[in-house]
């Protein structure tokens, strides 16, 4: 693996090990950011679901209104034929 990396022009850098305090601090920061990101993503999902529900309800209301208007038109046409 190292030979392949060298062939591609990458040089390995030495990484100093972290002490326990620094590792705990970085871990806590990463965990905190992950929680904030997760909550933000969940809020976006809930807002999307709410908007989709509202849109679906409006579409159903419009469809019901169109059916009602169609029924009324049909009744008026039948009354005209009767006259």
């Amino acid at each position: 693996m190292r030979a392949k990396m060298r062939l591609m022009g990458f040089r390995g850098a030495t990484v100093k090990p972290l002490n326990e305090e620094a590792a705990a601090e970085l871990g806590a920061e990463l965990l905190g950011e992950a929680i904030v990101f997760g909550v933000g993503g969940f809020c976006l999902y809930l807002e999307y679901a709410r908007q989709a529900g509202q849109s679906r309800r409006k579409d159903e209301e419009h469809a019901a209104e169109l059916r009602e208007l169609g029924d009324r038109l049909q009744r008026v046409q039948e009354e005209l034929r009767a006259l």
Side-chain angles (χ1 to χ4, degrees):
M1 181 78 170
R2 288 182 184 174
K4 286 182 183 180
M5 296 293 280
R6 277 191 224 125
L7 286 175
M8 292 190 311
F10 294 110
R11 283 186 265 232
T14 58
V15 178
K16 293 187 229 175
L18 294 175
N19 61 21
E20 275 190 46
E21 186 178 319
E25 187 175 323
L26 285 174
E29 187 176 329
L30 179 65
L31 181 62
E33 289 181 11
I35 289 171
V36 168
F37 181 75
V39 169
F42 185 65
C43 288
L44 286 174
Y45 169 76
L46 288 177
E47 181 62 23
Y48 172 78
R50 186 182 72 83
Q51 291 288 336
Q54 281 182 344
S55 177
R56 189 173 46 250
R57 278 192 297 280
K58 282 185 181 180
D59 290 346
E60 289 170 357
E61 289 173 4
H62 288 143
E65 288 176 10
L66 284 175
R67 280 192 301 272
E68 183 182 331
L69 287 174
D71 292 344
R72 286 174 56 192
L73 178 62
Q74 193 174 21
R75 278 183 271 150
V76 168
Q77 287 174 341
E78 289 172 1
E79 288 177 11
L80 282 175
R81 280 190 215 118
L83 291 175

